[in-house]
Amino acid sequence: MKYISTRGNNQELTASEAIIQGLAEDGGLFVPESMPKVNMAFIEGLENLSYQQRAVKVLSQFLTDYTQAEIEGCVERAYGDQKFDDEAIAPVNMLKNVSVLELWHGPTSAFKDMALQLLPQLLSTALKKTKAKNEVMILVATSGDTGKAALEGFKDVPQTKIMVFYPDNGVSRIQRLQMVTQQGGNVAVTAVKGNFDDAQSGVKEIFSDKAFNAQLNEKGVSLSSANSINWGRLVPQIVYYFSAYADLLKAGKIKAGDQISFVVPTGNFGDILAGFYAREMGLPVKKLVCASNANNVLTDFLNTGIYDRNRDFYKTISPSMDILISSNLERLLYHITNDTAKVAGWMKELAETGKYDVGAEVLARIKGIFAADWSNDDATKAMIAKEYQQEKYVADPHTAVAWNAFEKMADKENVVIVSTASPYKFNESVLTALSKDIAGKNEFQLLDELAAINSFTIPEGLGNLKNAEIRHNQVVNKSEMTKAVLNFALK
């Protein structure tokens, strides 16, 4: 299988080449040239397999230049060795009224672990396969969770360095601590003055700066990405949609062929896009519901066909979704239209004017698959309280945004809420929503406070932050990001 750009240049790369390069030469995103298809026998065959075995079967559909043994090795290194605190890796918690796909049992307590434990293994294997000589430097812009998960995944991986940029004052206290205490001889963490879109656009500008990339190449360094713009970051996420379906089959909650819907808290559109890929492959998905916070640019787009980032930016209690430029939407537009010229035109409009309109015909096709809703902070807090009262389930703010969208759905049959983070990562917001007294308490006292009412214990990685050394203090303006990258690349 070959991978091509959403914007239509003539590159045709293997999966390993696309994973190493990260972003296409024309600024587009790599997508599979054709969509692999699976039948119900394939899906039913996943029912009695472990998560790791399911992953190998699904990934093999896309990573056709990797051998079976290579994929199995990557999967075992990513999900084995008790890195996850639940042996199911991505368990489905089947509550009274809805099922919850929990994607936060990994080492950094967020769904990003599902991909970012695997991406470094895929990249490391790809470097060997292609006999690449350069050191690969991973650049990441994070709204909170991706950064720590990428740092943990790439820590001390041979032939790589990783540099993470996060918005100064734009992540939770726990998220910041997770990043600035990161150990590893090949890691750097830098705060950017501004919001996530400043950090993300800064990283994209560095990738597209041909002169700067040539300068790095002369020094034996190539840039790549661990954001979901990298195909190697997106493809592992397809697995857990199949796995959730298999778990529901095994539990007798559905019969083979029954359609299910997923409600996904969405910022950069990667998580929900993986559900789209699963659907296109043949998984019986009825609807993908995109749940946004007050930065509801995606809700407006999915309802009107007009993407317009020219709006107020809000800092919310669900900061990983505080995004106005959702990069992965570009991939969806390519798959819906199969027209690289149109996609390139829309992305040019977005860069120049901050908006584009896909028109009624494209919107109608998208609405056949996707629905959308959003919640402000008050509604999110109310949902956290309601679900704790009804189910004794403690949801983090991002999951609560999805839960609120689920509550508004007319058809609630066979619905799975995708839970993207542990509530312990957002203990202050969760405890406030549950009307607990948090006055004068630090984040570690708040962890203990939440543990007293939660059925899940404090994740080890969060509990250990209390005595962790602060190792990264750099803060830069967006205009200084390129210099920071150069300094670290040559270090």
Side-chain angles (χ1 to χ4, degrees):
M1 178 183 291
K2 295 293 187 181
Y3 289 81
I4 59 174
S5 171
T6 50
R7 300 189 192 180
N9 70 2
N10 293 319
Q11 274 188 294
E12 284 191 3
L13 304 185
T14 63
S16 54
E17 290 168 339
I19 288 168
I20 291 171
Q21 188 168 317
L23 198 66
E25 289 173 352
D26 58 1
L29 307 185
F30 286 115
V31 290
E33 195 171 33
S34 59
M35 193 68 67
K37 300 292 183 181
V38 299
N39 57 24
M40 190 50 60
F42 175 94
I43 297 167
E44 288 183 271
L46 303 175
E47 189 176 326
N48 294 311
L49 302 183
S50 68
Y51 188 87
Q52 290 91 325
Q53 291 168 323
R54 293 169 180 175
V56 170
K57 286 191 172 294
V58 174
L59 293 169
S60 297
Q61 307 299 311
F62 289 99
L63 306 178
T64 54
D65 60 322
Y66 287 71
T67 67
Q68 179 86 357
E70 285 172 336
I71 295 174
E72 288 173 354
C74 289
V75 166
E76 182 53 38
R77 291 189 295 275
Y79 301 124
D81 200 26
Q82 297 183 316
K83 289 182 178 180
F84 286 70
D85 63 22
D86 191 303
E87 65 179 0
I89 309 299
V92 178
N93 196 328
M94 299 171 199
L95 304 175
K96 283 184 296 187
N97 299 319
V98 69
S99 294
V100 181
L101 173 59
E102 295 175 350
L103 301 178
W104 38 262
H105 289 279
T108 76
S109 303
F111 84 100
K112 307 297 174 75
D113 290 324
M114 300 301 301
L116 285 167
Q117 284 298 306
L118 185 56
L119 172 60
Q121 306 306 326
L122 295 175
L123 177 61
S124 181
T125 301
L127 291 171
K128 291 173 189 169
K129 288 171 69 64
T130 59
K131 297 181 172 58
K133 297 288 192 294
N134 275 9
E135 180 177 67
V136 174
M137 183 165 166
I138 307 296
L139 294 189
V140 177
T142 183
S143 55
D145 288 334
T146 294
K148 173 60 180 178
L151 290 162
E152 195 63 30
F154 278 98
K155 177 182 69 176
D156 295 328
V157 169
Q159 208 177 335
T160 70
K161 283 183 175 178
I162 177 166
M163 188 167 196
V164 169
F165 293 98
Y166 70 93
D168 197 24
N169 300 317
V171 298
S172 78
R173 288 190 290 178
I174 287 286
Q175 286 174 317
R176 179 184 172 278
L177 271 177
Q178 283 186 298
M179 289 187 282
V180 299
T181 59
Q182 178 66 47
Q183 297 183 345
N186 65 336
V187 306
V189 179
T190 301
V192 178
K193 295 175 184 175
N195 59 37
F196 170 73
D197 290 326
D198 295 314
Q200 179 170 251
S201 59
V203 166
K204 278 193 160 187
E205 287 165 16
I206 292 169
F207 274 119
S208 60
D209 186 335
K210 291 184 178 178
F212 180 63
N213 279 263
Q215 181 184 359
L216 287 181
N217 195 53
E218 287 177 10
K219 306 291 186 182
V221 178
S222 300
L223 296 181
S224 191
S225 172
N227 282 87
S228 53
I229 57 176
N230 189 313
W231 177 250
R233 175 49 207 286
L234 185 59
V235 69
Q237 297 179 265
I238 301 169
V239 176
Y240 50 73
Y241 287 93
F242 280 93
S243 184
Y245 194 94
D247 282 347
L248 291 172
L249 269 180
K250 188 173 183 178
K253 294 285 185 181
I254 59 172
K255 300 187 300 294
D258 285 351
Q259 288 190 316
I260 66 174
S261 295
F262 291 92
V263 189
V264 190
T266 307
N268 217 14
F269 210 74
D271 197 1
I272 198 167
L273 183 68
F276 169 80
Y277 277 108
R279 183 185 187 275
E280 292 300 291
M281 290 173 70
L283 191 70
V285 175
K286 188 174 187 179
K287 277 287 182 182
L288 293 164
V289 182
C290 173
S292 301
N293 63 17
N295 295 296
N296 56 355
V297 62
L298 283 170
T299 307
D300 287 349
F301 170 75
L302 292 170
N303 286 326
T304 67
I306 299 170
Y307 195 99
D308 187 356
R309 66 171 172 82
N310 302 310
R311 60 180 68 209
D312 291 335
F313 177 88
Y314 299 101
K315 287 186 177 182
T316 74
I317 63 171
S318 47
S320 298
M321 298 156 65
D322 288 349
I323 295 171
L324 293 180
I325 304 173
S326 301
S327 295
N328 270 292
L329 190 59
E330 180 172 344
R331 281 189 169 109
L332 176 68
L333 294 175
Y334 167 78
H335 290 297
I336 292 291
T337 64
N338 203 31
D339 189 329
T340 55
K342 274 186 178 176
V343 173
W346 288 327
M347 294 306 107
K348 187 169 186 286
E349 283 183 63
L350 181 65
E352 293 175 354
T353 69
K355 64 185 294 188
Y356 60 88
D357 184 348
V358 300
E361 184 183 340
V362 172
L363 176 61
R365 280 184 246 160
I366 292 173
K367 288 180 100 168
I369 304 166
F370 292 87
D373 213 319
W374 69 280
S375 305
N376 62 23
D377 279 355
D378 287 342
T380 302
K381 290 175 190 173
M383 188 53 59
I384 292 171
K386 180 179 179 181
E387 287 316 311
Y388 184 71
Q389 183 181 28
Q390 290 185 347
E391 302 268 14
K392 288 295 180 279
Y393 190 92
V394 182
D396 92 289
H398 306 79
T399 304
V401 167
W403 218 308
N404 197 43
F406 162 72
E407 289 283 312
K408 298 182 200 173
M409 290 174 67
D411 181 2
K412 292 186 172 64
E413 185 179 9
N414 296 339
V415 176
V416 176
I417 290 172
V418 178
S419 179
T420 54
S422 166
Y424 287 107
K425 295 197 78 166
F426 304 94
N427 46 45
E428 183 176 350
S429 297
V430 171
L431 288 166
T432 299
L434 296 175
S435 302
K436 302 296 181 182
D437 181 14
I438 64 169
K441 295 175 181 173
N442 65 34
E443 45 264 59
F444 301 106
Q445 291 170 317
L446 296 179
L447 285 176
D448 292 334
E449 187 89 10
L450 187 53
I453 60 170
N454 193 10
S455 58
F456 296 104
T457 57
I458 299 170
E460 184 180 351
L462 300 185
N464 289 344
L465 288 174
K466 187 173 185 178
N467 300 312
E469 174 193 359
I470 304 292
R471 301 167 62 90
H472 307 277
N473 291 303
Q474 183 169 235
V475 182
V476 300
N477 293 309
K478 180 184 173 184
S479 60
E480 300 170 312
M481 289 171 65
T482 301
K483 183 180 179 182
V485 170
L486 181 62
N487 289 341
F488 184 56
L490 302 183
K491 189 174 176 181

